[in-house]
């Protein structure tokens, strides 16, 4: 697989993992019957996710900034892996 394709796959995989973990933990919180819960982490001043549970009302929101930040984080990690990988040496 080309290095550029690996970066795109890492970008998409990071987004999928981020949203999957967010919603699975939210579902677990609902199943354990937590009555009131508010979770709103931020990075670089931007909201990553918003989870609010109160009186059996459930609201979860994944803003685009959180998706983009985690996608860029995953792709930059893959870029570093590609850069320092020794298996991509050219053979002449």
């Amino acid at each position: 697989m080309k290095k550029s394709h690996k970066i795109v796959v890492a970008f998409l995989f990071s987004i999928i993992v981020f949203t999957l973990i967010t919603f699975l933990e939210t579902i677990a919180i609902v199943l354990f019957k937590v009555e009131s819960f508010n979770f709103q982490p931020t990075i670089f001043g931007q909201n990553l996710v918003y989870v609010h549970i109160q009186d059996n009302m459930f609201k979860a929101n994944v803003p685009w900034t959180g998706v983009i930040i985690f996608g860029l984080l995953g792709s930059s990690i893959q870029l570093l892996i590609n850069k320092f990988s020794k298996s991509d040496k050219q053979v002449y």
Side-chain angles (χ1 to χ4, degrees), residues 20-86:
L20 184 66
I21 289 172
T22 299
F23 286 110
L24 287 179
E25 72 182 20
T26 305
I27 290 169
I29 291 169
V30 170
L31 290 176
F32 286 116
K33 299 187 187 242
V34 174
E35 292 181 14
S36 179
F37 182 76
N38 191 17
F39 180 65
Q40 189 174 1
T42 60
I43 188 169
F44 305 123
Q46 301 295 321
N47 291 335
L48 297 178
V49 67
Y50 175 73
V51 178
H52 181 74
I53 301 170
Q54 186 172 10
D55 298 331
N56 295 327
M57 295 295 290
F58 165 73
K59 180 180 180 184
N61 186 15
V62 179
W64 283 107
T65 54
V67 171
I68 291 170
I69 287 172
F70 272 88
L72 291 175
L73 182 64
S75 59
S76 62
I77 289 171
Q78 183 63 44
L79 183 66
L80 289 172
I81 290 170
N82 288 345
K83 183 175 181 177
F84 295 112
S85 176
K86 297 190 187 262

Side-chain angles (χ1 to χ4, degrees), residues 1-15 71 75 78 82:
M1 187 182 295
K2 291 183 179 180
K3 289 183 180 183
S4 60
H5 292 135
K6 287 181 181 179
I7 294 171
V8 172
V9 169
F11 180 82
L12 295 174
F13 184 70
S14 298
I15 292 170
S75 59
Q78 183 63 44
N82 288 345

